[in-house]
PDB file of all heavy atoms in Angstrom:
ATOM      1  N   SER V   1     -17.810   5.345  -3.524  1.00 97.00           N
ATOM      2  CA  SER V   1     -17.965   4.401  -4.652  1.00 97.00           C
ATOM      3  C   SER V   1     -17.203   3.190  -4.442  1.00 97.00           C
ATOM      4  O   SER V   1     -16.131   3.146  -3.987  1.00 97.00           O
ATOM      5  CB  SER V   1     -17.671   5.006  -6.037  1.00 97.00           C
ATOM      6  OG  SER V   1     -17.625   4.064  -6.985  1.00 97.00           O
ATOM      7  N   ALA V   2     -17.762   2.063  -4.878  1.00 97.00           N
ATOM      8  CA  ALA V   2     -17.019   0.763  -4.911  1.00 97.00           C
ATOM      9  C   ALA V   2     -15.787   0.782  -5.788  1.00 97.00           C
ATOM     10  O   ALA V   2     -14.871  -0.096  -5.753  1.00 97.00           O
ATOM     11  CB  ALA V   2     -17.891  -0.375  -5.194  1.00 97.00           C
ATOM     12  N   ARG V   3     -15.765   1.686  -6.652  1.00 97.00           N
ATOM     13  CA  ARG V   3     -14.614   1.897  -7.634  1.00 97.00           C
ATOM     14  C   ARG V   3     -13.429   2.610  -7.149  1.00 97.00           C
ATOM     15  O   ARG V   3     -12.350   2.648  -7.798  1.00 97.00           O
ATOM     16  CB  ARG V   3     -15.104   2.757  -8.805  1.00 97.00           C
ATOM     17  CG  ARG V   3     -16.250   1.985  -9.712  1.00 97.00           C
ATOM     18  CD  ARG V   3     -15.642   1.061 -10.649  1.00 97.00           C
ATOM     19  NE  ARG V   3     -16.552   0.692 -11.916  1.00 97.00           N
ATOM     20  CZ  ARG V   3     -16.220  -0.189 -12.728  1.00 97.00           C
ATOM     21  NH1 ARG V   3     -15.061  -0.780 -12.715  1.00 97.00           N
ATOM     22  NH2 ARG V   3     -17.020  -0.398 -13.729  1.00 97.00           N
ATOM     23  N   VAL V   4     -13.501   3.165  -5.910  1.00 98.00           N
ATOM     24  CA  VAL V   4     -12.464   3.971  -5.315  1.00 98.00           C
ATOM     25  C   VAL V   4     -11.152   3.254  -5.173  1.00 98.00           C
ATOM     26  O   VAL V   4     -10.124   3.744  -5.639  1.00 98.00           O
ATOM     27  CB  VAL V   4     -12.881   4.737  -4.069  1.00 98.00           C
ATOM     28  CG1 VAL V   4     -11.652   5.311  -3.366  1.00 98.00           C
ATOM     29  CG2 VAL V   4     -13.886   5.809  -4.305  1.00 98.00           C
ATOM     30  N   GLY V   5     -11.209   2.054  -4.761  1.00 98.00           N
ATOM     31  CA  GLY V   5     -10.011   1.264  -4.541  1.00 98.00           C
ATOM     32  C   GLY V   5      -9.354   0.967  -5.885  1.00 98.00           C
ATOM     33  O   GLY V   5      -8.148   1.034  -6.038  1.00 98.00           O
ATOM     34  N   GLU V   6     -10.117   0.582  -6.889  1.00 98.00           N
ATOM     35  CA  GLU V   6      -9.728   0.293  -8.205  1.00 98.00           C
ATOM     36  C   GLU V   6      -9.009   1.537  -8.764  1.00 98.00           C
ATOM     37  O   GLU V   6      -7.863   1.489  -9.426  1.00 98.00           O
ATOM     38  CB  GLU V   6     -10.725  -0.088  -9.138  1.00 98.00           C
ATOM     39  CG  GLU V   6     -10.380  -0.618 -10.458  1.00 98.00           C
ATOM     40  CD  GLU V   6     -11.529  -1.144 -11.363  1.00 98.00           C
ATOM     41  OE1 GLU V   6     -12.570  -1.321 -10.758  1.00 98.00           O
ATOM     42  OE2 GLU V   6     -11.289  -1.418 -12.507  1.00 98.00           O
ATOM     43  N   CYS V   7      -9.661   2.755  -8.623  1.00 98.00           N
ATOM     44  CA  CYS V   7      -9.080   3.978  -9.070  1.00 98.00           C
ATOM     45  C   CYS V   7      -7.789   4.190  -8.442  1.00 98.00           C
ATOM     46  O   CYS V   7      -6.734   4.605  -9.214  1.00 98.00           O
ATOM     47  CB  CYS V   7      -9.997   5.161  -8.715  1.00 98.00           C
ATOM     48  SG  CYS V   7     -11.420   5.210  -9.694  1.00 98.00           S
ATOM     49  N   ASN V   8      -7.597   3.989  -7.180  1.00 98.00           N
ATOM     50  CA  ASN V   8      -6.291   4.139  -6.500  1.00 98.00           C
ATOM     51  C   ASN V   8      -5.167   3.322  -7.054  1.00 98.00           C
ATOM     52  O   ASN V   8      -4.003   3.712  -7.190  1.00 98.00           O
ATOM     53  CB  ASN V   8      -6.438   4.083  -4.993  1.00 98.00           C
ATOM     54  CG  ASN V   8      -7.009   5.239  -4.375  1.00 98.00           C
ATOM     55  OD1 ASN V   8      -6.858   6.362  -4.734  1.00 98.00           O
ATOM     56  ND2 ASN V   8      -8.022   4.892  -3.293  1.00 98.00           N
ATOM     57  N   LYS V   9      -5.545   2.088  -7.392  1.00 98.00           N
ATOM     58  CA  LYS V   9      -4.566   1.133  -7.923  1.00 98.00           C
ATOM     59  C   LYS V   9      -4.060   1.541  -9.240  1.00 98.00           C
ATOM     60  O   LYS V   9      -2.921   1.597  -9.616  1.00 98.00           O
ATOM     61  CB  LYS V   9      -5.215  -0.233  -7.916  1.00 98.00           C
ATOM     62  CG  LYS V   9      -5.350  -0.993  -6.625  1.00 98.00           C
ATOM     63  CD  LYS V   9      -5.917  -2.355  -6.861  1.00 98.00           C
ATOM     64  CE  LYS V   9      -6.171  -3.023  -5.471  1.00 98.00           C
ATOM     65  NZ  LYS V   9      -6.981  -4.366  -5.623  1.00 98.00           N
ATOM     66  N   LEU V  10      -5.029   1.991 -10.075  1.00 98.00           N
ATOM     67  CA  LEU V  10      -4.735   2.408 -11.519  1.00 98.00           C
ATOM     68  C   LEU V  10      -3.884   3.756 -11.382  1.00 98.00           C
ATOM     69  O   LEU V  10      -2.958   4.038 -12.214  1.00 98.00           O
ATOM     70  CB  LEU V  10      -5.952   2.611 -12.255  1.00 98.00           C
ATOM     71  CG  LEU V  10      -6.783   1.380 -12.543  1.00 98.00           C
ATOM     72  CD1 LEU V  10      -8.095   1.678 -13.350  1.00 98.00           C
ATOM     73  CD2 LEU V  10      -5.822   0.360 -13.458  1.00 98.00           C
ATOM     74  N   MET V  11      -4.248   4.566 -10.406  1.00 98.00           N
ATOM     75  CA  MET V  11      -3.457   5.887 -10.259  1.00 98.00           C
ATOM     76  C   MET V  11      -2.023   5.594  -9.913  1.00 98.00           C
ATOM     77  O   MET V  11      -1.027   6.197 -10.386  1.00 98.00           O
ATOM     78  CB  MET V  11      -4.189   6.707  -9.180  1.00 98.00           C
ATOM     79  CG  MET V  11      -5.394   7.406  -9.806  1.00 98.00           C
ATOM     80  SD  MET V  11      -6.379   8.292  -8.479  1.00 98.00           S
ATOM     81  CE  MET V  11      -5.408   9.850  -8.352  1.00 98.00           C
ATOM     82  N   ASP V  12      -1.806   4.475  -9.102  1.00 96.00           N
ATOM     83  CA  ASP V  12      -0.601   4.063  -8.622  1.00 96.00           C
ATOM     84  C   ASP V  12       0.269   3.684  -9.901  1.00 96.00           C
ATOM     85  O   ASP V  12       1.467   4.053  -9.981  1.00 96.00           O
ATOM     86  CB  ASP V  12      -0.421   2.979  -7.593  1.00 96.00           C
ATOM     87  CG  ASP V  12      -0.845   3.419  -6.333  1.00 96.00           C
ATOM     88  OD1 ASP V  12      -0.881   4.545  -6.052  1.00 96.00           O
ATOM     89  OD2 ASP V  12      -1.243   2.526  -5.505  1.00 96.00           O
ATOM     90  N   VAL V  13      -0.274   2.917 -10.847  1.00 96.00           N
ATOM     91  CA  VAL V  13       0.374   2.554 -12.019  1.00 96.00           C
ATOM     92  C   VAL V  13       0.797   3.686 -12.903  1.00 96.00           C
ATOM     93  O   VAL V  13       1.874   3.788 -13.437  1.00 96.00           O
ATOM     94  CB  VAL V  13      -0.576   1.667 -12.832  1.00 96.00           C
ATOM     95  CG1 VAL V  13       0.002   1.256 -14.313  1.00 96.00           C
ATOM     96  CG2 VAL V  13      -0.944   0.367 -12.179  1.00 96.00           C
ATOM     97  N   LEU V  14      -0.139   4.681 -12.980  1.00 97.00           N
ATOM     98  CA  LEU V  14       0.025   5.866 -13.836  1.00 97.00           C
ATOM     99  C   LEU V  14       1.198   6.821 -13.208  1.00 97.00           C
ATOM    100  O   LEU V  14       2.113   7.281 -13.868  1.00 97.00           O
ATOM    101  CB  LEU V  14      -1.145   6.704 -13.890  1.00 97.00           C
ATOM    102  CG  LEU V  14      -2.344   6.156 -14.641  1.00 97.00           C
ATOM    103  CD1 LEU V  14      -3.557   6.865 -14.409  1.00 97.00           C
ATOM    104  CD2 LEU V  14      -1.986   6.034 -16.177  1.00 97.00           C
ATOM    105  N   ARG V  15       1.091   6.891 -11.886  1.00 96.00           N
ATOM    106  CA  ARG V  15       2.253   7.606 -11.182  1.00 96.00           C
ATOM    107  C   ARG V  15       3.624   7.083 -11.248  1.00 96.00           C
ATOM    108  O   ARG V  15       4.662   7.607 -11.579  1.00 96.00           O
ATOM    109  CB  ARG V  15       1.942   7.747  -9.661  1.00 96.00           C
ATOM    110  CG  ARG V  15       0.746   8.650  -9.383  1.00 96.00           C
ATOM    111  CD  ARG V  15       0.712   8.999  -7.925  1.00 96.00           C
ATOM    112  NE  ARG V  15      -0.475   9.658  -7.511  1.00 96.00           N
ATOM    113  CZ  ARG V  15      -1.542   9.002  -6.857  1.00 96.00           C
ATOM    114  NH1 ARG V  15      -1.470   7.705  -6.666  1.00 96.00           N
ATOM    115  NH2 ARG V  15      -2.705   9.672  -6.690  1.00 96.00           N
ATOM    116  N   GLN V  16       3.673   5.569 -11.398  1.00 95.00           N
ATOM    117  CA  GLN V  16       4.925   4.932 -11.493  1.00 95.00           C
ATOM    118  C   GLN V  16       5.488   5.271 -12.961  1.00 95.00           C
ATOM    119  O   GLN V  16       6.656   5.324 -13.139  1.00 95.00           O
ATOM    120  CB  GLN V  16       4.701   3.373 -11.400  1.00 95.00           C
ATOM    121  CG  GLN V  16       4.599   3.038  -9.863  1.00 95.00           C
ATOM    122  CD  GLN V  16       4.349   1.610  -9.662  1.00 95.00           C
ATOM    123  OE1 GLN V  16       4.383   0.839 -10.603  1.00 95.00           O
ATOM    124  NE2 GLN V  16       3.868   1.263  -8.542  1.00 95.00           N
ATOM    125  N   LYS V  17       4.543   5.400 -13.861  1.00 96.00           N
ATOM    126  CA  LYS V  17       4.932   5.741 -15.219  1.00 96.00           C
ATOM    127  C   LYS V  17       5.590   7.118 -15.277  1.00 96.00           C
ATOM    128  O   LYS V  17       6.503   7.351 -15.978  1.00 96.00           O
ATOM    129  CB  LYS V  17       3.681   5.652 -16.188  1.00 96.00           C
ATOM    130  CG  LYS V  17       4.167   5.647 -17.663  1.00 96.00           C
ATOM    131  CD  LYS V  17       2.729   5.470 -18.538  1.00 96.00           C
ATOM    132  CE  LYS V  17       2.333   3.958 -18.589  1.00 96.00           C
ATOM    133  NZ  LYS V  17       1.307   3.796 -19.573  1.00 96.00           N
ATOM    134  N   LEU V  18       4.934   8.074 -14.714  1.00 96.00           N
ATOM    135  CA  LEU V  18       5.452   9.396 -14.564  1.00 96.00           C
ATOM    136  C   LEU V  18       6.842   9.460 -13.841  1.00 96.00           C
ATOM    137  O   LEU V  18       7.714  10.184 -14.182  1.00 96.00           O
ATOM    138  CB  LEU V  18       4.438  10.392 -13.878  1.00 96.00           C
ATOM    139  CG  LEU V  18       3.191  10.667 -14.781  1.00 96.00           C
ATOM    140  CD1 LEU V  18       2.366  11.559 -13.984  1.00 96.00           C
ATOM    141  CD2 LEU V  18       3.471  11.108 -16.181  1.00 96.00           C
ATOM    142  N   GLU V  19       6.982   8.755 -12.736  1.00 96.00           N
ATOM    143  CA  GLU V  19       8.192   8.507 -12.033  1.00 96.00           C
ATOM    144  C   GLU V  19       9.311   8.081 -13.009  1.00 96.00           C
ATOM    145  O   GLU V  19      10.385   8.631 -12.945  1.00 96.00           O
ATOM    146  CB  GLU V  19       8.103   7.697 -10.873  1.00 96.00           C
ATOM    147  CG  GLU V  19       7.202   8.131  -9.634  1.00 96.00           C
ATOM    148  CD  GLU V  19       6.854   7.042  -8.741  1.00 96.00           C
ATOM    149  OE1 GLU V  19       7.642   6.072  -8.606  1.00 96.00           O
ATOM    150  OE2 GLU V  19       5.857   7.191  -8.027  1.00 96.00           O
ATOM    151  N   SER V  20       8.970   7.127 -13.666  1.00 97.00           N
ATOM    152  CA  SER V  20      10.040   6.379 -14.705  1.00 97.00           C
ATOM    153  C   SER V  20      10.368   7.478 -15.615  1.00 97.00           C
ATOM    154  O   SER V  20      11.584   7.529 -15.972  1.00 97.00           O
ATOM    155  CB  SER V  20       9.432   5.208 -15.293  1.00 97.00           C
ATOM    156  OG  SER V  20       9.210   4.199 -14.365  1.00 97.00           O
ATOM    157  N   LYS V  21       9.446   8.225 -16.189  1.00 97.00           N
ATOM    158  CA  LYS V  21       9.699   9.128 -17.191  1.00 97.00           C
ATOM    159  C   LYS V  21      10.629  10.274 -16.620  1.00 97.00           C
ATOM    160  O   LYS V  21      11.605  10.691 -17.231  1.00 97.00           O
ATOM    161  CB  LYS V  21       8.383   9.840 -17.621  1.00 97.00           C
ATOM    162  CG  LYS V  21       8.466  10.893 -18.731  1.00 97.00           C
ATOM    163  CD  LYS V  21       8.525  10.327 -20.127  1.00 97.00           C
ATOM    164  CE  LYS V  21       8.419  11.398 -21.169  1.00 97.00           C
ATOM    165  NZ  LYS V  21       8.588  10.923 -22.479  1.00 97.00           N
ATOM    166  N   ALA V  22      10.368  10.698 -15.369  1.00 97.00           N
ATOM    167  CA  ALA V  22      11.191  11.807 -14.890  1.00 97.00           C
ATOM    168  C   ALA V  22      12.557  11.197 -14.480  1.00 97.00           C
ATOM    169  O   ALA V  22      13.673  12.013 -14.701  1.00 97.00           O
ATOM    170  CB  ALA V  22      10.466  12.321 -13.473  1.00 97.00           C
ATOM    171  N   PHE V  23      12.676   9.989 -13.945  1.00 98.00           N
ATOM    172  CA  PHE V  23      13.926   9.458 -13.706  1.00 98.00           C
ATOM    173  C   PHE V  23      14.766   9.265 -14.909  1.00 98.00           C
ATOM    174  O   PHE V  23      15.988   9.539 -15.051  1.00 98.00           O
ATOM    175  CB  PHE V  23      13.776   8.051 -12.994  1.00 98.00           C
ATOM    176  CG  PHE V  23      15.184   7.496 -12.540  1.00 98.00           C
ATOM    177  CD1 PHE V  23      15.791   7.952 -11.528  1.00 98.00           C
ATOM    178  CD2 PHE V  23      15.685   6.491 -13.287  1.00 98.00           C
ATOM    179  CE1 PHE V  23      16.898   7.366 -11.057  1.00 98.00           C
ATOM    180  CE2 PHE V  23      16.905   5.909 -12.942  1.00 98.00           C
ATOM    181  CZ  PHE V  23      17.558   6.287 -11.774  1.00 98.00           C
ATOM    182  N   ARG V  24      14.149   8.843 -16.009  1.00 97.00           N
ATOM    183  CA  ARG V  24      14.811   8.608 -17.385  1.00 97.00           C
ATOM    184  C   ARG V  24      15.300   9.977 -17.767  1.00 97.00           C
ATOM    185  O   ARG V  24      16.485  10.143 -18.386  1.00 97.00           O
ATOM    186  CB  ARG V  24      13.841   7.982 -18.294  1.00 97.00           C
ATOM    187  CG  ARG V  24      13.699   6.504 -18.133  1.00 97.00           C
ATOM    188  CD  ARG V  24      12.825   6.021 -19.424  1.00 97.00           C
ATOM    189  NE  ARG V  24      12.490   4.601 -19.139  1.00 97.00           N
ATOM    190  CZ  ARG V  24      12.017   3.848 -20.135  1.00 97.00           C
ATOM    191  NH1 ARG V  24      11.833   4.449 -21.335  1.00 97.00           N
ATOM    192  NH2 ARG V  24      11.715   2.636 -19.807  1.00 97.00           N
ATOM    193  N   ALA V  25      14.610  11.084 -17.611  1.00 97.00           N
ATOM    194  CA  ALA V  25      15.000  12.417 -18.033  1.00 97.00           C
ATOM    195  C   ALA V  25      16.213  12.754 -17.296  1.00 97.00           C
ATOM    196  O   ALA V  25      17.167  13.314 -17.820  1.00 97.00           O
ATOM    197  CB  ALA V  25      13.778  13.403 -17.828  1.00 97.00           C
ATOM    198  N   GLY V  26      16.234  12.574 -15.921  1.00 98.00           N
ATOM    199  CA  GLY V  26      17.476  12.861 -15.151  1.00 98.00           C
ATOM    200  C   GLY V  26      18.564  12.083 -15.628  1.00 98.00           C
ATOM    201  O   GLY V  26      19.751  12.633 -15.701  1.00 98.00           O
ATOM    202  N   MET V  27      18.528  10.822 -15.820  1.00 98.00           N
ATOM    203  CA  MET V  27      19.565  10.062 -16.344  1.00 98.00           C
ATOM    204  C   MET V  27      20.096  10.487 -17.728  1.00 98.00           C
ATOM    205  O   MET V  27      21.272  10.431 -17.944  1.00 98.00           O
ATOM    206  CB  MET V  27      19.132   8.531 -16.477  1.00 98.00           C
ATOM    207  CG  MET V  27      18.920   7.779 -15.083  1.00 98.00           C
ATOM    208  SD  MET V  27      20.439   7.852 -13.976  1.00 98.00           S
ATOM    209  CE  MET V  27      21.648   7.007 -15.137  1.00 98.00           C
ATOM    210  N   LEU V  28      19.116  10.899 -18.581  1.00 98.00           N
ATOM    211  CA  LEU V  28      19.658  11.402 -19.890  1.00 98.00           C
ATOM    212  C   LEU V  28      20.408  12.642 -19.674  1.00 98.00           C
ATOM    213  O   LEU V  28      21.528  12.820 -20.410  1.00 98.00           O
ATOM    214  CB  LEU V  28      18.425  11.737 -20.706  1.00 98.00           C
ATOM    215  CG  LEU V  28      18.668  12.152 -22.129  1.00 98.00           C
ATOM    216  CD1 LEU V  28      19.507  11.203 -22.943  1.00 98.00           C
ATOM    217  CD2 LEU V  28      17.316  12.637 -22.815  1.00 98.00           C
ATOM    218  N   TYR V  29      19.975  13.620 -18.881  1.00 98.00           N
ATOM    219  CA  TYR V  29      20.844  14.808 -18.568  1.00 98.00           C
ATOM    220  C   TYR V  29      22.157  14.377 -18.005  1.00 98.00           C
ATOM    221  O   TYR V  29      23.297  15.047 -18.547  1.00 98.00           O
ATOM    222  CB  TYR V  29      20.226  15.765 -17.522  1.00 98.00           C
ATOM    223  CG  TYR V  29      19.043  16.611 -18.175  1.00 98.00           C
ATOM    224  CD1 TYR V  29      17.708  16.507 -17.556  1.00 98.00           C
ATOM    225  CD2 TYR V  29      19.096  17.217 -19.388  1.00 98.00           C
ATOM    226  CE1 TYR V  29      16.722  17.204 -18.043  1.00 98.00           C
ATOM    227  CE2 TYR V  29      18.109  18.102 -19.866  1.00 98.00           C
ATOM    228  CZ  TYR V  29      16.917  18.004 -19.124  1.00 98.00           C
ATOM    229  OH  TYR V  29      15.842  18.750 -19.724  1.00 98.00           O
ATOM    230  N   TYR V  30      22.118  13.428 -17.145  1.00 98.00           N
ATOM    231  CA  TYR V  30      23.447  13.107 -16.525  1.00 98.00           C
ATOM    232  C   TYR V  30      24.421  12.484 -17.462  1.00 98.00           C
ATOM    233  O   TYR V  30      25.594  12.699 -17.471  1.00 98.00           O
ATOM    234  CB  TYR V  30      23.090  11.934 -15.440  1.00 98.00           C
ATOM    235  CG  TYR V  30      24.234  11.482 -14.675  1.00 98.00           C
ATOM    236  CD1 TYR V  30      24.823  12.073 -13.528  1.00 98.00           C
ATOM    237  CD2 TYR V  30      24.858  10.220 -15.003  1.00 98.00           C
ATOM    238  CE1 TYR V  30      25.970  11.717 -12.925  1.00 98.00           C
ATOM    239  CE2 TYR V  30      25.988   9.687 -14.358  1.00 98.00           C
ATOM    240  CZ  TYR V  30      26.450  10.509 -13.321  1.00 98.00           C
ATOM    241  OH  TYR V  30      27.574   9.989 -12.635  1.00 98.00           O
ATOM    242  N   ARG V  31      23.893  11.615 -18.341  1.00 98.00           N
ATOM    243  CA  ARG V  31      24.722  10.905 -19.326  1.00 98.00           C
ATOM    244  C   ARG V  31      25.214  11.930 -20.371  1.00 98.00           C
ATOM    245  O   ARG V  31      26.333  11.729 -20.982  1.00 98.00           O
ATOM    246  CB  ARG V  31      23.991   9.805 -20.069  1.00 98.00           C
ATOM    247  CG  ARG V  31      23.770   8.606 -19.219  1.00 98.00           C
ATOM    248  CD  ARG V  31      23.079   7.507 -19.970  1.00 98.00           C
ATOM    249  NE  ARG V  31      22.693   6.514 -18.955  1.00 98.00           N
ATOM    250  CZ  ARG V  31      21.504   5.965 -18.680  1.00 98.00           C
ATOM    251  NH1 ARG V  31      20.527   6.431 -19.450  1.00 98.00           N
ATOM    252  NH2 ARG V  31      21.271   5.031 -17.884  1.00 98.00           N
ATOM    253  N   MET V  32      24.464  13.032 -20.645  1.00 98.00           N
ATOM    254  CA  MET V  32      24.916  14.067 -21.616  1.00 98.00           C
ATOM    255  C   MET V  32      25.854  15.096 -20.947  1.00 98.00           C
ATOM    256  O   MET V  32      26.299  15.923 -21.607  1.00 98.00           O
ATOM    257  CB  MET V  32      23.713  14.820 -22.074  1.00 98.00           C
ATOM    258  CG  MET V  32      22.704  13.958 -22.962  1.00 98.00           C
ATOM    259  SD  MET V  32      21.234  14.825 -23.294  1.00 98.00           S
ATOM    260  CE  MET V  32      21.758  16.265 -24.351  1.00 98.00           C
ATOM    261  N   GLY V  33      26.116  14.866 -19.683  1.00 97.00           N
ATOM    262  CA  GLY V  33      26.949  15.773 -18.959  1.00 97.00           C
ATOM    263  C   GLY V  33      26.288  17.175 -18.541  1.00 97.00           C
ATOM    264  O   GLY V  33      27.048  18.026 -18.123  1.00 97.00           O
ATOM    265  N   LYS V  34      25.063  17.156 -18.673  1.00 98.00           N
ATOM    266  CA  LYS V  34      24.299  18.340 -18.119  1.00 98.00           C
ATOM    267  C   LYS V  34      23.965  18.062 -16.701  1.00 98.00           C
ATOM    268  O   LYS V  34      22.838  17.833 -16.370  1.00 98.00           O
ATOM    269  CB  LYS V  34      23.120  18.623 -18.972  1.00 98.00           C
ATOM    270  CG  LYS V  34      23.431  18.815 -20.505  1.00 98.00           C
ATOM    271  CD  LYS V  34      22.221  19.160 -21.262  1.00 98.00           C
ATOM    272  CE  LYS V  34      22.540  19.520 -22.681  1.00 98.00           C
ATOM    273  NZ  LYS V  34      21.311  19.882 -23.478  1.00 98.00           N
ATOM    274  N   TYR V  35      25.013  18.318 -15.811  1.00 98.00           N
ATOM    275  CA  TYR V  35      24.893  17.874 -14.425  1.00 98.00           C
ATOM    276  C   TYR V  35      23.889  18.721 -13.589  1.00 98.00           C
ATOM    277  O   TYR V  35      23.214  18.158 -12.681  1.00 98.00           O
ATOM    278  CB  TYR V  35      26.299  17.825 -13.837  1.00 98.00           C
ATOM    279  CG  TYR V  35      27.187  16.863 -14.493  1.00 98.00           C
ATOM    280  CD1 TYR V  35      28.337  17.332 -15.175  1.00 98.00           C
ATOM    281  CD2 TYR V  35      26.738  15.506 -14.575  1.00 98.00           C
ATOM    282  CE1 TYR V  35      29.150  16.370 -15.810  1.00 98.00           C
ATOM    283  CE2 TYR V  35      27.652  14.584 -15.209  1.00 98.00           C
ATOM    284  CZ  TYR V  35      28.834  15.069 -15.893  1.00 98.00           C
ATOM    285  OH  TYR V  35      29.622  14.228 -16.582  1.00 98.00           O
ATOM    286  N   ARG V  36      23.877  20.013 -13.785  1.00 98.00           N
ATOM    287  CA  ARG V  36      22.958  20.828 -13.113  1.00 98.00           C
ATOM    288  C   ARG V  36      21.476  20.451 -13.409  1.00 98.00           C
ATOM    289  O   ARG V  36      20.575  20.344 -12.481  1.00 98.00           O
ATOM    290  CB  ARG V  36      23.192  22.313 -13.333  1.00 98.00           C
ATOM    291  CG  ARG V  36      22.209  23.245 -12.651  1.00 98.00           C
ATOM    292  CD  ARG V  36      22.551  24.727 -12.838  1.00 98.00           C
ATOM    293  NE  ARG V  36      21.678  25.640 -12.222  1.00 98.00           N
ATOM    294  CZ  ARG V  36      20.390  26.062 -12.521  1.00 98.00           C
ATOM    295  NH1 ARG V  36      20.006  25.468 -13.812  1.00 98.00           N
ATOM    296  NH2 ARG V  36      19.695  26.720 -11.900  1.00 98.00           N
TER     297      ARG V  36
END
């Protein structure tokens, strides 16, 4: 499909959002002293 390239771009945006969510979760644990 001609839409495949567009799908991949939008998927990159979505993945970056999930990455940010996961990184923020790690930082929250870190700041709370829950190091493990």
Side-chain angles (χ1 to χ4, degrees):
S1 171
R3 293 278 201 184
V4 168
E6 188 177 350
C7 288
N8 283 323
K9 286 179 184 176
L10 294 174
M11 288 172 79
D12 285 342
V13 173
L14 294 166
R15 287 192 194 99
Q16 285 175 11
K17 193 177 283 190
L18 292 179
E19 290 169 20
S20 294
K21 181 81 172 176
F23 184 77
R24 286 187 184 192
M27 287 304 301
L28 181 62
Y29 284 130
Y30 181 83
R31 290 180 186 126
M32 291 171 66
K34 297 184 176 182
Y35 299 117
R36 181 175 180 274

